[in-house]
Amino acid sequence: MDDQRWLRWTQRIQALAQAGLTYTENGYDVERYEELREISIAMMQELSGAPYPVVKELFASETGYPTPKVDVRGVVFEEGRILLVKEKSDGKWTLPGGWADIGYTPKETAVKEIREEAGLDVRADRLLAVLDKKCHPHPPESYYIYKIFIRCEQTGGRPEAGLETSDVAYFAEDALPELSLNRTTESQIRLMFEYLRDPNKAVTLD
């Protein structure tokens, strides 16, 4: 079975059910959309192996019109090497970043995440890429996600792990550590190095 294809179908069914529940005023349609949502939860449970309450809370608990979640990653270079942080959750490495917070611009989110996860003060100065997670070799994910990559320049601080990270280091392109693939892929890291070599490279959009 093509898990990625089934995942996309499941996400789409959930999104249609959520939109229907948001806008319908017909009681019979409410029942139909609720049934579609239950089907999407059952499909996601089958794909993930997670317990029903966990799937329902993470995958089908939102209200309102369904939109992608946004993940913001900060890109910092030093002497030809890229800044990565080691995640406590899986012991693997990633570009610093995380979910975009309400009330913060994308640039402010990148600055905040780098400070919290890597101990550095930075200035966000350029959008590099906006990627759709489904187009890249990440593991299957229940959320539909856009990933924003922002180039940042260090202005102060020193490398220091945070609450969610256990280590901070710079890596050369030919010496990358084991990556946290749910967050960052090798091809995405190599794309960031393309921007280091060519500062005039156009923004990458999926």
Side-chain angles (χ1 to χ4, degrees):
M1 181 175 68
D2 184 342
D3 286 351
Q4 291 287 354
R5 185 171 60 171
W6 278 92
L7 176 62
R8 291 194 293 272
W9 288 340
T10 304
Q11 291 170 331
R12 187 61 184 152
I13 292 171
Q14 148 59 17
L16 290 171
Q18 184 175 324
L21 288 170
T22 298
Y23 292 112
T24 188
E25 297 179 358
N26 184 298
Y28 293 107
D29 285 341
V30 168
E31 291 181 0
R32 295 184 182 101
Y33 288 125
E34 287 178 342
E35 183 176 356
L36 276 175
R37 172 170 277 187
E38 287 300 314
I39 290 171
S40 74
I41 294 171
M43 292 173 68
M44 183 59 71
Q45 184 179 14
E46 182 72 20
L47 283 167
S48 67
Y52 176 90
V54 173
V55 174
K56 184 173 183 179
E57 175 64 25
L58 293 177
F59 177 58
S61 63
E62 296 185 10
T63 58
Y65 190 82
T67 62
K69 295 180 76 68
V70 179
D71 177 36
V72 178
R73 297 286 154 179
V75 181
V76 180
F77 288 103
E78 179 182 83
E79 297 179 350
R81 300 173 300 161
I82 196 166
L83 175 72
L84 298 179
V85 295
K86 191 173 186 179
E87 289 283 341
K88 286 183 179 179
S89 61
D90 61 9
K92 299 175 184 177
W93 295 81
T94 180
L95 291 167
W99 295 129
D101 289 321
I102 292 173
Y104 288 80
T105 68
K107 288 171 64 174
E108 289 170 340
T109 298
V111 169
K112 179 174 72 71
E113 291 290 334
I114 291 172
R115 178 61 186 171
E116 292 175 352
E117 296 188 352
L120 300 181
D121 297 319
V122 300
R123 178 185 65 254
D125 60 11
R126 190 189 172 201
L127 174 66
L128 302 181
V130 180
L131 306 181
D132 186 324
K133 194 170 183 179
K134 80 171 190 293
C135 299
H136 300 267
H138 295 279
E141 167 70 57
S142 59
Y143 295 125
Y144 199 96
I145 298 170
Y146 289 168
K147 299 179 69 65
I148 297 177
F149 297 80
I150 297 175
R151 175 73 184 264
C152 301
E153 297 293 334
Q154 183 177 349
T155 60
R158 59 185 180 84
E160 184 177 21
L163 292 177
E164 298 179 354
T165 57
S166 60
D167 201 0
V168 181
Y170 287 89
F171 293 89
E173 186 176 6
D174 60 357
L176 296 177
E178 184 177 10
L179 297 174
S180 181
L181 295 180
N182 196 48
R183 299 173 176 86
T184 303
T185 67
E186 181 177 339
S187 57
Q188 289 164 356
I189 298 288
R190 297 196 185 284
L191 175 62
M192 298 305 109
F193 273 98
E194 291 181 21
Y195 286 98
L196 177 64
R197 290 188 289 270
D198 180 8
N200 296 317
K201 180 179 173 64
V203 173
T204 301
L205 294 174
D206 281 334

